[in-house]
Amino acid sequence: QGNVLSFMGIVVAVCQGTLIGWATSRFSETSIIKSSVVLLLLSFLAFTYISTPEALCAVIVPMMAGGTLLQNVNTAQLTKAVPSEDSGTIIAIDMAIGSGIGIFTPALGTFLFERGFSTIGFSCSATYCLLLLLLQLGVVHSKVH
């Protein structure tokens, strides 16, 4: 649905223009990362129960907000983790990995969709639940040392 994709783009643009600055000026990067993961986890869990385009749009708002915050904070942390002369390289690697992921996710999405629409939401929720657990245990670090 083109309208849903357009709506997603608008939500991301609004988040980029308003939410990022507001959140980063008030909260630590660690808090933003953990909150974003929780927001994504809950959004994908809600995604499993949608049955109308309106419900999809309602779920898209927190999902895109969480994803936008997480992506921006992670990219900022990457640039802080390397010497300033290497920041362009690390951003390029980050974008390349994102593009690489974009190659495989349509096939993965199709595989999950064939097992039932709710499988997508449950599998994404489980992934974010695991990430949150790893963040809480300190196995995955959410701040630059």
Tab-separated table of all heavy atoms in Angstrom, residues 55-123:
chain	number	residue	atom	x	y	z
A	55	ALA	N	-5.341	0.643	12.173
A	55	ALA	CA	-4.566	0.055	13.274
A	55	ALA	C	-3.088	-0.015	12.892
A	55	ALA	O	-2.212	0.236	13.724
A	55	ALA	CB	-5.099	-1.333	13.626
A	56	LEU	N	-2.817	-0.338	11.635
A	56	LEU	CA	-1.434	-0.379	11.161
A	56	LEU	C	-0.792	1.000	11.302
A	56	LEU	O	0.333	1.119	11.792
A	56	LEU	CB	-1.378	-0.858	9.707
A	56	LEU	CG	0.000	-0.866	9.055
A	56	LEU	CD1	0.965	-1.770	9.811
A	56	LEU	CD2	-0.114	-1.287	7.599
A	57	CYS	N	-1.512	2.037	10.906
A	57	CYS	CA	-0.972	3.398	11.021
A	57	CYS	C	-0.743	3.779	12.481
A	57	CYS	O	0.247	4.451	12.798
A	57	CYS	CB	-1.911	4.393	10.343
A	57	CYS	SG	-1.853	4.267	8.535
A	58	ALA	N	-1.621	3.335	13.367
A	58	ALA	CA	-1.444	3.622	14.794
A	58	ALA	C	-0.198	2.939	15.341
A	58	ALA	O	0.521	3.506	16.166
A	58	ALA	CB	-2.680	3.183	15.577
A	59	VAL	N	0.090	1.747	14.877
A	59	VAL	CA	1.267	1.000	15.338
A	59	VAL	C	2.544	1.556	14.707
A	59	VAL	O	3.611	1.541	15.322
A	59	VAL	CB	1.100	-0.509	15.032
A	59	VAL	CG1	2.390	-1.270	15.249
A	59	VAL	CG2	-0.004	-1.095	15.893
A	60	ILE	N	2.425	2.071	13.504
A	60	ILE	CA	3.594	2.595	12.794
A	60	ILE	C	4.217	3.788	13.529
A	60	ILE	O	5.437	3.941	13.546
A	60	ILE	CB	3.221	2.971	11.345
A	60	ILE	CG1	3.133	1.693	10.510
A	60	ILE	CG2	4.212	3.947	10.736
A	60	ILE	CD1	2.612	1.907	9.113
A	61	VAL	N	3.406	4.615	14.167
A	61	VAL	CA	3.940	5.822	14.808
A	61	VAL	C	4.990	5.483	15.879
A	61	VAL	O	6.134	5.937	15.782
A	61	VAL	CB	2.807	6.713	15.364
A	61	VAL	CG1	3.376	7.870	16.171
A	61	VAL	CG2	1.938	7.230	14.230
A	62	PRO	N	4.672	4.673	16.894
A	62	PRO	CA	5.724	4.359	17.884
A	62	PRO	C	6.842	3.493	17.299
A	62	PRO	O	7.996	3.602	17.723
A	62	PRO	CB	4.968	3.623	18.993
A	62	PRO	CG	3.719	3.125	18.365
A	62	PRO	CD	3.388	4.094	17.273
A	63	MET	N	6.506	2.664	16.309
A	63	MET	CA	7.526	1.816	15.685
A	63	MET	C	8.565	2.670	14.962
A	63	MET	O	9.778	2.470	15.126
A	63	MET	CB	6.859	0.851	14.698
A	63	MET	CG	7.772	-0.181	14.115
A	63	MET	SD	6.934	-1.219	12.885
A	63	MET	CE	5.766	-2.112	13.892
A	64	MET	N	8.119	3.630	14.187
A	64	MET	CA	9.043	4.499	13.453
A	64	MET	C	9.795	5.425	14.411
A	64	MET	O	10.966	5.705	14.211
A	64	MET	CB	8.297	5.323	12.406
A	64	MET	CG	7.671	4.512	11.286
A	64	MET	SD	8.859	3.646	10.249
A	64	MET	CE	8.690	1.978	10.854
A	65	ALA	N	9.121	5.884	15.464
A	65	ALA	CA	9.797	6.738	16.451
A	65	ALA	C	10.930	5.968	17.122
A	65	ALA	O	12.059	6.466	17.236
A	65	ALA	CB	8.789	7.240	17.488
A	66	GLY	N	10.647	4.752	17.569
A	66	GLY	CA	11.680	3.939	18.209
A	66	GLY	C	12.820	3.614	17.270
A	66	GLY	O	13.998	3.704	17.639
A	67	GLY	N	12.496	3.253	16.038
A	67	GLY	CA	13.531	2.924	15.055
A	67	GLY	C	14.391	4.121	14.696
A	67	GLY	O	15.617	4.011	14.567
A	68	THR	N	13.751	5.281	14.546
A	68	THR	CA	14.488	6.503	14.213
A	68	THR	C	15.440	6.891	15.347
A	68	THR	O	16.609	7.208	15.104
A	68	THR	CB	13.503	7.653	13.919
A	68	THR	OG1	12.671	7.270	12.824
A	68	THR	CG2	14.231	8.928	13.565
A	69	LEU	N	14.942	6.863	16.569
A	69	LEU	CA	15.803	7.183	17.714
A	69	LEU	C	16.974	6.214	17.810
A	69	LEU	O	18.128	6.629	17.978
A	69	LEU	CB	15.000	7.147	19.008
A	69	LEU	CG	14.131	8.354	19.304
A	69	LEU	CD1	13.164	8.047	20.441
A	69	LEU	CD2	14.993	9.560	19.648
A	70	LEU	N	16.690	4.930	17.705
A	70	LEU	CA	17.733	3.915	17.833
A	70	LEU	C	18.795	4.067	16.751
A	70	LEU	O	19.997	4.048	17.039
A	70	LEU	CB	17.101	2.513	17.778
A	70	LEU	CG	18.019	1.334	18.045
A	70	LEU	CD1	18.611	1.410	19.448
A	70	LEU	CD2	17.244	0.030	17.875
A	71	GLN	N	18.367	4.249	15.523
A	71	GLN	CA	19.322	4.382	14.421
A	71	GLN	C	20.196	5.622	14.582
A	71	GLN	O	21.418	5.555	14.400
A	71	GLN	CB	18.583	4.435	13.088
A	71	GLN	CG	19.515	4.568	11.902
A	71	GLN	CD	18.771	4.677	10.591
A	71	GLN	OE1	17.547	4.758	10.550
A	71	GLN	NE2	19.513	4.684	9.501
A	72	ASN	N	19.597	6.737	14.931
A	72	ASN	CA	20.371	7.971	15.057
A	72	ASN	C	21.355	7.927	16.213
A	72	ASN	O	22.500	8.367	16.072
A	72	ASN	CB	19.429	9.168	15.188
A	72	ASN	CG	18.907	9.606	13.849
A	72	ASN	OD1	19.565	10.339	13.139
A	72	ASN	ND2	17.738	9.124	13.493
A	73	VAL	N	20.934	7.416	17.343
A	73	VAL	CA	21.839	7.336	18.495
A	73	VAL	C	22.964	6.340	18.217
A	73	VAL	O	24.123	6.606	18.543
A	73	VAL	CB	21.071	6.985	19.780
A	73	VAL	CG1	22.019	6.686	20.926
A	73	VAL	CG2	20.151	8.133	20.171
A	74	ASN	N	22.638	5.223	17.589
A	74	ASN	CA	23.687	4.248	17.262
A	74	ASN	C	24.713	4.830	16.295
A	74	ASN	O	25.916	4.630	16.462
A	74	ASN	CB	23.080	2.974	16.679
A	74	ASN	CG	22.501	2.079	17.744
A	74	ASN	OD1	22.836	2.181	18.912
A	74	ASN	ND2	21.610	1.205	17.343
A	75	THR	N	24.257	5.565	15.288
A	75	THR	CA	25.180	6.188	14.337
A	75	THR	C	26.046	7.230	15.044
A	75	THR	O	27.254	7.308	14.804
A	75	THR	CB	24.409	6.819	13.169
A	75	THR	OG1	23.661	5.802	12.497
A	75	THR	CG2	25.353	7.469	12.168
A	76	ALA	N	25.447	8.005	15.936
A	76	ALA	CA	26.226	8.990	16.697
A	76	ALA	C	27.291	8.300	17.542
A	76	ALA	O	28.431	8.769	17.629
A	76	ALA	CB	25.299	9.821	17.579
A	77	GLN	N	26.917	7.188	18.160
A	77	GLN	CA	27.895	6.464	18.978
A	77	GLN	C	29.028	5.900	18.138
A	77	GLN	O	30.179	5.884	18.575
A	77	GLN	CB	27.219	5.347	19.755
A	77	GLN	CG	26.410	5.854	20.920
A	77	GLN	CD	25.920	4.737	21.809
A	77	GLN	OE1	25.695	3.615	21.376
A	77	GLN	NE2	25.750	5.040	23.083
A	78	LEU	N	28.712	5.431	16.939
A	78	LEU	CA	29.759	4.924	16.057
A	78	LEU	C	30.776	6.011	15.734
A	78	LEU	O	31.982	5.759	15.735
A	78	LEU	CB	29.155	4.379	14.756
A	78	LEU	CG	28.468	3.029	14.838
A	78	LEU	CD1	27.753	2.718	13.531
A	78	LEU	CD2	29.464	1.932	15.176
A	79	THR	N	30.297	7.221	15.457
A	79	THR	CA	31.235	8.294	15.120
A	79	THR	C	32.081	8.707	16.323
A	79	THR	O	33.204	9.156	16.149
A	79	THR	CB	30.498	9.524	14.546
A	79	THR	OG1	29.584	10.021	15.516
A	79	THR	CG2	29.764	9.166	13.265
A	80	LYS	N	31.556	8.537	17.519
A	80	LYS	CA	32.324	8.861	18.726
A	80	LYS	C	33.341	7.774	19.067
A	80	LYS	O	34.304	8.028	19.789
A	80	LYS	CB	31.386	9.039	19.922
A	80	LYS	CG	30.486	10.234	19.832
A	80	LYS	CD	29.543	10.244	21.015
A	80	LYS	CE	28.460	11.282	20.864
A	80	LYS	NZ	27.475	11.219	21.960
A	81	ALA	N	33.111	6.571	18.557
A	81	ALA	CA	33.966	5.437	18.906
A	81	ALA	C	35.245	5.378	18.075
A	81	ALA	O	36.130	4.583	18.373
A	81	ALA	CB	33.189	4.125	18.745
A	82	VAL	N	35.342	6.201	17.046
A	82	VAL	CA	36.522	6.188	16.185
A	82	VAL	C	37.148	7.578	16.171
A	82	VAL	O	36.485	8.570	16.499
A	82	VAL	CB	36.161	5.755	14.741
A	82	VAL	CG1	35.626	4.333	14.713
A	82	VAL	CG2	35.187	6.709	14.097
A	83	PRO	N	38.425	7.678	15.784
A	83	PRO	CA	39.037	9.004	15.639
A	83	PRO	C	38.256	9.834	14.605
A	83	PRO	O	37.654	9.284	13.686
A	83	PRO	CB	40.446	8.698	15.125
A	83	PRO	CG	40.699	7.273	15.497
A	83	PRO	CD	39.365	6.596	15.501
A	84	SER	N	38.271	11.150	14.765
A	84	SER	CA	37.464	12.018	13.899
A	84	SER	C	37.784	11.841	12.416
A	84	SER	O	36.890	11.948	11.579
A	84	SER	CB	37.627	13.483	14.306
A	84	SER	OG	38.979	13.877	14.199
A	85	GLU	N	39.032	11.530	12.097
A	85	GLU	CA	39.378	11.344	10.681
A	85	GLU	C	38.770	10.062	10.094
A	85	GLU	O	38.720	9.895	8.883
A	85	GLU	CB	40.902	11.357	10.461
A	85	GLU	CG	41.665	10.256	11.162
A	85	GLU	CD	42.136	10.638	12.569
A	85	GLU	OE1	41.759	11.708	13.078
A	85	GLU	OE2	42.887	9.844	13.151
A	86	ASP	N	38.297	9.169	10.944
A	86	ASP	CA	37.674	7.925	10.473
A	86	ASP	C	36.149	7.956	10.542
A	86	ASP	O	35.499	6.954	10.239
A	86	ASP	CB	38.184	6.735	11.297
A	86	ASP	CG	39.657	6.462	11.065
A	86	ASP	OD1	40.155	6.786	9.966
A	86	ASP	OD2	40.311	5.930	11.986
A	87	SER	N	35.572	9.091	10.923
A	87	SER	CA	34.107	9.129	11.083
A	87	SER	C	33.387	8.907	9.761
A	87	SER	O	32.346	8.244	9.731
A	87	SER	CB	33.663	10.431	11.741
A	87	SER	OG	33.994	11.543	10.940
A	88	GLY	N	33.906	9.424	8.661
A	88	GLY	CA	33.289	9.183	7.355
A	88	GLY	C	33.302	7.709	6.988
A	88	GLY	O	32.321	7.175	6.458
A	89	THR	N	34.396	7.049	7.295
A	89	THR	CA	34.506	5.622	7.001
A	89	THR	C	33.519	4.812	7.816
A	89	THR	O	32.839	3.925	7.294
A	89	THR	CB	35.944	5.136	7.294
A	89	THR	OG1	36.863	5.909	6.505
A	89	THR	CG2	36.110	3.665	6.976
A	90	ILE	N	33.390	5.126	9.104
A	90	ILE	CA	32.490	4.346	9.954
A	90	ILE	C	31.036	4.579	9.559
A	90	ILE	O	30.216	3.651	9.591
A	90	ILE	CB	32.736	4.609	11.462
A	90	ILE	CG1	32.106	3.501	12.320
A	90	ILE	CG2	32.204	5.934	11.897
A	90	ILE	CD1	32.762	2.171	12.205
A	91	ILE	N	30.703	5.803	9.144
A	91	ILE	CA	29.342	6.055	8.676
A	91	ILE	C	29.080	5.286	7.386
A	91	ILE	O	28.001	4.708	7.202
A	91	ILE	CB	29.094	7.570	8.501
A	91	ILE	CG1	29.058	8.240	9.875
A	91	ILE	CG2	27.789	7.826	7.748
A	91	ILE	CD1	28.990	9.751	9.823
A	92	ALA	N	30.068	5.236	6.497
A	92	ALA	CA	29.914	4.479	5.250
A	92	ALA	C	29.728	2.989	5.536
A	92	ALA	O	28.894	2.321	4.908
A	92	ALA	CB	31.127	4.700	4.351
A	93	ILE	N	30.483	2.466	6.489
A	93	ILE	CA	30.331	1.048	6.857
A	93	ILE	C	28.948	0.805	7.451
A	93	ILE	O	28.281	-0.181	7.120
A	93	ILE	CB	31.448	0.627	7.839
A	93	ILE	CG1	32.807	0.615	7.121
A	93	ILE	CG2	31.154	-0.742	8.452
A	93	ILE	CD1	34.001	0.468	8.041
A	94	ASP	N	28.502	1.715	8.299
A	94	ASP	CA	27.168	1.615	8.896
A	94	ASP	C	26.092	1.595	7.807
A	94	ASP	O	25.183	0.763	7.820
A	94	ASP	CB	26.957	2.789	9.857
A	94	ASP	CG	25.611	2.759	10.561
A	94	ASP	OD1	25.141	1.657	10.914
A	94	ASP	OD2	25.051	3.853	10.790
A	95	MET	N	26.193	2.494	6.839
A	95	MET	CA	25.211	2.545	5.750
A	95	MET	C	25.301	1.298	4.866
A	95	MET	O	24.276	0.784	4.401
A	95	MET	CB	25.416	3.799	4.899
A	95	MET	CG	25.176	5.093	5.637
A	95	MET	SD	23.480	5.235	6.233
A	95	MET	CE	23.776	5.534	7.962
A	96	ALA	N	26.505	0.807	4.644
A	96	ALA	CA	26.672	-0.398	3.834
A	96	ALA	C	26.032	-1.611	4.517
A	96	ALA	O	25.387	-2.437	3.860
A	96	ALA	CB	28.156	-0.660	3.567
A	97	ILE	N	26.208	-1.706	5.817
A	97	ILE	CA	25.584	-2.811	6.555
A	97	ILE	C	24.066	-2.696	6.472
A	97	ILE	O	23.370	-3.687	6.248
A	97	ILE	CB	26.076	-2.837	8.017
A	97	ILE	CG1	27.542	-3.257	8.065
A	97	ILE	CG2	25.214	-3.765	8.872
A	97	ILE	CD1	28.200	-3.088	9.417
A	98	GLY	N	23.552	-1.474	6.626
A	98	GLY	CA	22.107	-1.262	6.498
A	98	GLY	C	21.597	-1.659	5.124
A	98	GLY	O	20.543	-2.302	4.998
A	99	SER	N	22.342	-1.304	4.087
A	99	SER	CA	21.948	-1.698	2.733
A	99	SER	C	22.025	-3.208	2.558
A	99	SER	O	21.158	-3.815	1.915
A	99	SER	CB	22.858	-1.017	1.698
A	99	SER	OG	22.691	0.373	1.750
A	100	GLY	N	23.043	-3.815	3.133
A	100	GLY	CA	23.170	-5.273	3.059
A	100	GLY	C	22.015	-5.980	3.732
A	100	GLY	O	21.483	-6.971	3.222
A	101	ILE	N	21.609	-5.448	4.866
A	101	ILE	CA	20.456	-6.019	5.570
A	101	ILE	C	19.204	-5.899	4.708
A	101	ILE	O	18.376	-6.804	4.655
A	101	ILE	CB	20.275	-5.340	6.946
A	101	ILE	CG1	21.415	-5.756	7.874
A	101	ILE	CG2	18.921	-5.680	7.562
A	101	ILE	CD1	21.495	-4.964	9.159
A	102	GLY	N	19.096	-4.762	3.995
A	102	GLY	CA	17.956	-4.549	3.110
A	102	GLY	C	17.870	-5.541	1.964
A	102	GLY	O	16.811	-5.724	1.372
A	103	ILE	N	18.972	-6.206	1.662
A	103	ILE	CA	18.963	-7.229	0.615
A	103	ILE	C	18.286	-8.500	1.103
A	103	ILE	O	17.561	-9.160	0.369
A	103	ILE	CB	20.418	-7.539	0.153
A	103	ILE	CG1	21.001	-6.303	-0.554
A	103	ILE	CG2	20.460	-8.773	-0.745
A	103	ILE	CD1	22.491	-6.411	-0.816
A	104	PHE	N	18.494	-8.838	2.361
A	104	PHE	CA	17.998	-10.108	2.894
A	104	PHE	C	16.626	-10.021	3.574
A	104	PHE	O	15.924	-11.022	3.666
A	104	PHE	CB	19.014	-10.687	3.890
A	104	PHE	CG	20.341	-10.974	3.254
A	104	PHE	CD1	21.417	-10.125	3.466
A	104	PHE	CD2	20.506	-12.060	2.418
A	104	PHE	CE1	22.636	-10.373	2.863
A	104	PHE	CE2	21.717	-12.325	1.809
A	104	PHE	CZ	22.788	-11.474	2.027
A	105	THR	N	16.262	-8.846	4.055
A	105	THR	CA	15.010	-8.757	4.810
A	105	THR	C	13.749	-9.031	3.994
A	105	THR	O	12.796	-9.591	4.558
A	105	THR	CB	14.885	-7.413	5.548
A	105	THR	OG1	15.104	-6.348	4.616
A	105	THR	CG2	15.874	-7.327	6.685
A	106	PRO	N	13.673	-8.685	2.704
A	106	PRO	CA	12.456	-9.060	1.970
A	106	PRO	C	12.239	-10.576	1.923
A	106	PRO	O	11.111	-11.054	2.095
A	106	PRO	CB	12.670	-8.491	0.567
A	106	PRO	CG	13.604	-7.339	0.789
A	106	PRO	CD	14.516	-7.799	1.895
A	107	ALA	N	13.318	-11.322	1.738
A	107	ALA	CA	13.189	-12.786	1.725
A	107	ALA	C	12.796	-13.308	3.100
A	107	ALA	O	11.934	-14.184	3.225
A	107	ALA	CB	14.503	-13.433	1.272
A	108	LEU	N	13.385	-12.756	4.138
A	108	LEU	CA	13.039	-13.155	5.500
A	108	LEU	C	11.590	-12.790	5.817
A	108	LEU	O	10.848	-13.585	6.398
A	108	LEU	CB	13.983	-12.509	6.517
A	108	LEU	CG	13.727	-12.812	7.987
A	108	LEU	CD1	13.827	-14.314	8.254
A	108	LEU	CD2	14.703	-12.046	8.857
A	109	GLY	N	11.177	-11.589	5.424
A	109	GLY	CA	9.799	-11.163	5.640
A	109	GLY	C	8.805	-12.070	4.925
A	109	GLY	O	7.759	-12.423	5.480
A	110	THR	N	9.134	-12.461	3.701
A	110	THR	CA	8.272	-13.378	2.957
A	110	THR	C	8.187	-14.728	3.650
A	110	THR	O	7.100	-15.303	3.800
A	110	THR	CB	8.800	-13.559	1.516
A	110	THR	OG1	8.810	-12.281	0.876
A	110	THR	CG2	7.939	-14.518	0.723
A	111	PHE	N	9.327	-15.218	4.099
A	111	PHE	CA	9.365	-16.496	4.818
A	111	PHE	C	8.467	-16.444	6.050
A	111	PHE	O	7.665	-17.347	6.296
A	111	PHE	CB	10.813	-16.817	5.211
A	111	PHE	CG	10.961	-18.015	6.100
A	111	PHE	CD1	10.928	-19.299	5.569
A	111	PHE	CD2	11.131	-17.858	7.474
A	111	PHE	CE1	11.064	-20.413	6.382
A	111	PHE	CE2	11.267	-18.966	8.297
A	111	PHE	CZ	11.237	-20.245	7.750
A	112	LEU	N	8.583	-15.378	6.826
A	112	LEU	CA	7.765	-15.234	8.033
A	112	LEU	C	6.292	-15.033	7.693
A	112	LEU	O	5.411	-15.598	8.346
A	112	LEU	CB	8.276	-14.077	8.893
A	112	LEU	CG	9.654	-14.258	9.514
A	112	LEU	CD1	10.128	-12.966	10.159
A	112	LEU	CD2	9.663	-15.400	10.506
A	113	PHE	N	6.016	-14.221	6.676
A	113	PHE	CA	4.634	-13.952	6.282
A	113	PHE	C	3.917	-15.231	5.852
A	113	PHE	O	2.731	-15.414	6.141
A	113	PHE	CB	4.593	-12.920	5.152
A	113	PHE	CG	3.209	-12.515	4.765
A	113	PHE	CD1	2.478	-11.662	5.571
A	113	PHE	CD2	2.641	-12.976	3.602
A	113	PHE	CE1	1.196	-11.274	5.226
A	113	PHE	CE2	1.356	-12.607	3.234
A	113	PHE	CZ	0.628	-11.752	4.050
A	114	GLU	N	4.641	-16.107	5.182
A	114	GLU	CA	4.041	-17.377	4.744
A	114	GLU	C	3.659	-18.258	5.927
A	114	GLU	O	2.857	-19.169	5.785
A	114	GLU	CB	5.001	-18.120	3.812
A	114	GLU	CG	5.124	-17.466	2.453
A	114	GLU	CD	6.214	-18.070	1.591
A	114	GLU	OE1	7.037	-18.877	2.098
A	114	GLU	OE2	6.264	-17.711	0.399
A	115	ARG	N	4.211	-18.000	7.084
A	115	ARG	CA	3.877	-18.755	8.287
A	115	ARG	C	2.774	-18.071	9.099
A	115	ARG	O	2.435	-18.509	10.190
A	115	ARG	CB	5.119	-18.972	9.145
A	115	ARG	CG	5.890	-20.185	8.660
A	115	ARG	CD	7.363	-19.896	8.445
A	115	ARG	NE	7.995	-20.987	7.735
A	115	ARG	CZ	8.085	-21.062	6.415
A	115	ARG	NH1	7.553	-20.148	5.654
A	115	ARG	NH2	8.684	-22.077	5.837
A	116	GLY	N	2.261	-16.986	8.578
A	116	GLY	CA	1.192	-16.256	9.249
A	116	GLY	C	1.624	-14.838	9.535
A	116	GLY	O	2.769	-14.597	9.930
A	117	PHE	N	0.710	-13.907	9.338
A	117	PHE	CA	1.022	-12.484	9.509
A	117	PHE	C	1.585	-12.187	10.894
A	117	PHE	O	2.533	-11.429	11.036
A	117	PHE	CB	-0.254	-11.660	9.244
A	117	PHE	CG	-0.042	-10.190	9.321
A	117	PHE	CD1	0.584	-9.517	8.296
A	117	PHE	CD2	-0.459	-9.472	10.435
A	117	PHE	CE1	0.783	-8.145	8.356
A	117	PHE	CE2	-0.264	-8.101	10.508
A	117	PHE	CZ	0.353	-7.451	9.462
A	118	SER	N	1.015	-12.787	11.910
A	118	SER	CA	1.452	-12.493	13.281
A	118	SER	C	2.876	-12.977	13.563
A	118	SER	O	3.518	-12.491	14.486
A	118	SER	CB	0.488	-13.103	14.292
A	118	SER	OG	0.453	-14.502	14.171
A	119	THR	N	3.370	-13.903	12.762
A	119	THR	CA	4.735	-14.408	12.945
A	119	THR	C	5.758	-13.285	12.835
A	119	THR	O	6.765	-13.280	13.545
A	119	THR	CB	5.042	-15.513	11.917
A	119	THR	OG1	4.040	-16.502	11.991
A	119	THR	CG2	6.391	-16.145	12.152
A	120	ILE	N	5.490	-12.331	11.957
A	120	ILE	CA	6.414	-11.197	11.790
A	120	ILE	C	6.519	-10.413	13.101
A	120	ILE	O	7.619	-10.142	13.591
A	120	ILE	CB	5.952	-10.288	10.635
A	120	ILE	CG1	6.000	-11.055	9.306
A	120	ILE	CG2	6.801	-9.027	10.562
A	120	ILE	CD1	5.339	-10.332	8.156
A	121	GLY	N	5.384	-10.062	13.669
A	121	GLY	CA	5.389	-9.295	14.915
A	121	GLY	C	5.998	-10.052	16.071
A	121	GLY	O	6.787	-9.497	16.844
A	122	PHE	N	5.643	-11.326	16.185
A	122	PHE	CA	6.188	-12.119	17.294
A	122	PHE	C	7.695	-12.305	17.161
A	122	PHE	O	8.428	-12.199	18.149
A	122	PHE	CB	5.505	-13.489	17.378
A	122	PHE	CG	4.133	-13.445	17.978
A	122	PHE	CD1	3.063	-14.034	17.331
A	122	PHE	CD2	3.901	-12.821	19.197
A	122	PHE	CE1	1.790	-13.999	17.881
A	122	PHE	CE2	2.635	-12.772	19.761
A	122	PHE	CZ	1.573	-13.365	19.103
A	123	SER	N	8.180	-12.571	15.954
A	123	SER	CA	9.622	-12.790	15.790
A	123	SER	C	10.407	-11.498	16.031
A	123	SER	O	11.474	-11.523	16.644
A	123	SER	CB	9.933	-13.387	14.419
A	123	SER	OG	9.514	-12.520	13.389
